[in-house]
Amino acid sequence: MTLPSTIRPATSADAERICTIYNHYIATTTISFEEEPVEPAQMAQRIADVASANLPWLVMEEGEKLIGYAYATKWRVRAAYRFAVESSVYLDPDHAGKGAGTLLYQALLAELRQRELHLVIGGIAQPNEASVRLHERLGFTKVAHFSEVGLKFGRWVDVGYWQLKLN
């Protein structure tokens, strides 16, 4: 039996569990280009930085266990870019492929629309078929592909960019 899911804004108290989820991807995949584990204090600061930019950072709980998170950051710092953001979504690997990512991303997109943003951009390290499917299911279209833009685990990694116009 699956417990009901709740989506709510992240707080600094979520930082440790978010690190547990994220550090798995750092250590075992090229999905994140970070190479060192993130400490809870660093993650709490990232959550605060997103909030101070008036952007959403959401977490999903199943019962009382945090199983995933999604957030948006500014796309670029110049003023003319203020209506574009970049999105990220991460799930506990045990909960991937069960629809949680879709629900979490839909909630993030709804929050972004309320902020009257125009464009959301998802950067996806390649290959990552699951993330590509998720983005395209939500209406994103591929707009760019950078070859060998990152080096992790001794191999070059491409990154594709997908975008969704919010309004």
Side-chain angles (χ1 to χ4, degrees):
M1 182 172 141
T2 303
L3 298 171
S5 295
T6 303
I7 298 173
R8 61 167 177 79
T11 70
S12 60
D14 299 316
E16 186 171 351
R17 178 68 182 133
I18 289 171
C19 283
T20 299
I21 293 170
Y22 186 50
N23 287 338
H24 161 79
Y25 291 98
I26 293 171
T28 64
T29 75
T30 57
I31 289 171
S32 169
F33 279 12
E34 292 200 62
E35 297 177 306
E36 298 298 325
V38 177
E39 297 295 326
Q42 294 171 289
M43 191 61 73
Q45 184 60 56
R46 292 178 187 190
I47 293 167
D49 291 346
V50 167
S52 71
N54 193 33
L55 293 171
W57 188 312
L58 303 175
V59 295
M60 176 180 267
E61 295 175 316
E62 189 175 85
E64 294 188 24
K65 182 178 182 183
L66 195 156
I67 63 166
Y69 64 96
Y71 64 95
T73 56
K74 293 179 181 180
W75 170 242
R76 295 282 187 258
V77 296
R78 303 279 189 264
Y81 289 117
R82 69 187 173 276
F83 298 103
V85 295
E86 185 170 8
S87 58
S88 294
V89 60
Y90 288 91
L91 290 176
D92 179 312
D94 292 338
H95 292 81
K98 300 176 184 176
T102 299
L103 293 174
L104 190 52
Y105 219 144
Q106 287 171 332
L108 179 68
L109 294 173
E111 288 284 332
L112 295 174
R113 285 184 177 102
Q114 288 179 359
R115 286 166 171 79
E116 298 183 5
L117 294 163
H118 179 65
L119 186 76
V120 59
I121 300 161
I124 307 172
Q126 296 297 301
N128 186 339
E129 292 178 26
S131 188
V132 169
R133 276 194 313 273
L134 172 63
H135 283 82
E136 291 180 350
R137 186 179 323 116
L138 293 171
F140 285 72
T141 56
K142 188 172 185 180
V143 294
H145 189 103
F146 296 102
S147 177
E148 299 181 356
V149 71
L151 179 67
K152 189 168 179 186
F153 303 137
R155 71 176 183 90
W156 291 105
V157 181
D158 294 1
V159 174
Y161 283 92
W162 278 254
Q163 71 176 30
L164 175 68
K165 291 181 183 170
L166 295 167
N167 55 33

